[in-house]
Amino acid sequence: MEIHFTPVSLNEVLPGLQQHISGLGSPIDSFLEDHILASNHYHIRLGEQTIGWTSIHQQSLITEFALMPGYKQLGQRIFPLVRKLEEVRAAFVPTSDEFFLAHALDDYRQLEKQAYFFQQDTQRPPYQPSLALTHRQASAADLPLIQRYSGDFFDRLAERIAAGQIYITQRVGAGADECAGFGIIDPGRLCLGVGSCGMFTVEAQRRQGVGAAIIAYLGGRCAELELRPIAGCWYYNHRSKQTLEKAGMFSPTRLLKISY
């Protein structure tokens, strides 16, 4: 029977996406989630039977490829057809998605290391910052303050503040409290039960342990929200990687960009 692809809405593939991604051996962060959610989605069909799905971001980047049990043996037949959809030139593949990774590697031109995906090392003692810091959830009145120090670092800032995702860290001194940085917890929309943690340190406060303290605080806050703390950073952002590791996180998973 003929393999063909049917464009579908996000809502039509969302339950399968959530089940698949939440079941991976290691979680993915909000960066990759955003790419998947903003993709064009297709059901993979064998005749009249839906046997899997694929997703393509901005016409050129494969962000998802999965087949249902009973049809996985067709992967090497189907993936080359996925590469002919739209204007595909590459794929974003987390190393925790073994099936997708294996097929993306079968025939490629270039492999680039894109990002680290971190999770909490529960066997390490909790990070204890040496600085006197306080942390609080941001309110709408804090929006000018956050923009003044962080610029456009946070997307959809007003929306995120309203959703309770943004936190402010202040350094306690002899005088008025001093703004030291900001944090974010972005609950997973595909990888359920996790919170992607990120931080921004005010320039004058950098290289003093503020970033690690913010990540450690966000990890504790995730526990209160019954979320598993995770994080991600660009593969070549060595300072961010060091900060996350200092805060007690480690990366068992990479995000790869595989080009054709």
Side-chain angles (χ1 to χ4, degrees):
M1 285 189 287
E2 181 185 359
I3 299 291
H4 59 102
F5 302 88
T6 304
V8 292
S9 68
L10 172 62
N11 286 338
E12 290 178 270
V13 297
L14 188 59
L17 278 174
Q18 290 174 328
Q19 183 178 12
H20 172 68
I21 292 173
S22 297
L24 295 177
S26 293
I28 65 171
D29 76 346
S30 57
F31 170 80
L32 182 54
E33 280 198 343
D34 286 343
H35 278 72
I36 296 171
L37 289 167
S39 295
N40 295 327
H41 306 284
Y42 296 85
H43 274 160
I44 302 170
R45 298 177 68 84
L46 178 63
E48 297 301 314
Q49 179 69 33
T50 297
I51 64 170
W53 66 85
T54 191
S55 304
I56 300 174
H57 184 261
Q58 293 187 346
Q59 297 186 304
S60 64
L61 188 70
I62 306 168
T63 54
E64 267 289 308
F65 173 65
L67 295 177
M68 297 175 180
Y71 300 96
K72 293 182 181 293
Q73 76 279 7
L74 300 176
Q76 285 187 307
R77 174 183 166 190
I78 294 173
F79 193 76
L81 302 178
V82 172
R83 287 177 47 191
K84 294 180 180 179
L85 291 171
E86 300 191 11
E87 300 173 12
V88 165
R89 296 190 296 273
F92 260 0
V93 190
T95 56
S96 57
D97 193 334
E98 183 178 353
F99 184 81
F100 186 7
L101 178 62
H103 290 83
L105 287 173
D106 272 338
D107 178 25
Y108 71 94
R109 177 178 57 82
Q110 183 177 3
L111 186 152
E112 300 170 81
K113 292 166 283 189
Q114 181 75 26
Y116 291 100
F117 290 155
F118 284 84
Q119 55 188 280
Q120 196 73 39
D121 186 348
T122 58
Q123 300 305 308
R124 287 178 58 184
Y127 174 72
Q128 299 295 332
S130 58
L131 303 172
L133 300 168
T134 61
H135 310 274
R136 63 178 176 85
Q137 200 168 52
S139 69
D142 294 310
L143 192 149
L145 171 74
I146 299 169
Q147 288 179 324
R148 174 160 34 109
Y149 282 109
S150 67
D152 59 359
F153 180 81
F154 297 104
D155 67 332
R156 311 193 315 273
L157 180 58
E159 176 187 333
R160 292 188 183 281
I161 291 174
Q165 296 179 1
I166 305 296
Y167 297 82
I168 296 176
T169 294
Q170 294 172 292
R171 190 162 182 174
V172 181
D177 289 351
E178 187 176 3
C179 185
F182 312 101
I184 180 171
I185 298 175
D186 191 359
R189 290 151 291 168
L190 297 177
C191 194
L192 303 178
V194 306
S196 286
C197 299
M199 60 79 194
F200 179 93
T201 303
V202 173
E203 187 171 358
Q205 303 290 337
R206 292 173 184 173
R207 302 187 185 181
Q208 301 177 54
V210 172
I214 293 173
I215 292 296
Y217 167 76
L218 296 176
R221 181 65 180 141
C222 278
E224 295 173 357
L225 296 170
E226 298 184 341
L227 295 173
R228 180 184 175 192
I230 64 170
C233 75
W234 185 47
Y235 191 86
Y236 300 98
N237 189 339
H238 304 301
R239 289 181 181 173
S240 181
K241 177 177 180 287
Q242 291 168 358
T243 295
L244 291 165
E245 290 174 341
K246 184 176 181 180
M249 306 193 88
F250 74 104
S251 174
T253 309
R254 308 289 186 266
L255 178 63
L256 304 178
K257 183 178 182 180
I258 301 173
S259 300
Y260 303 103

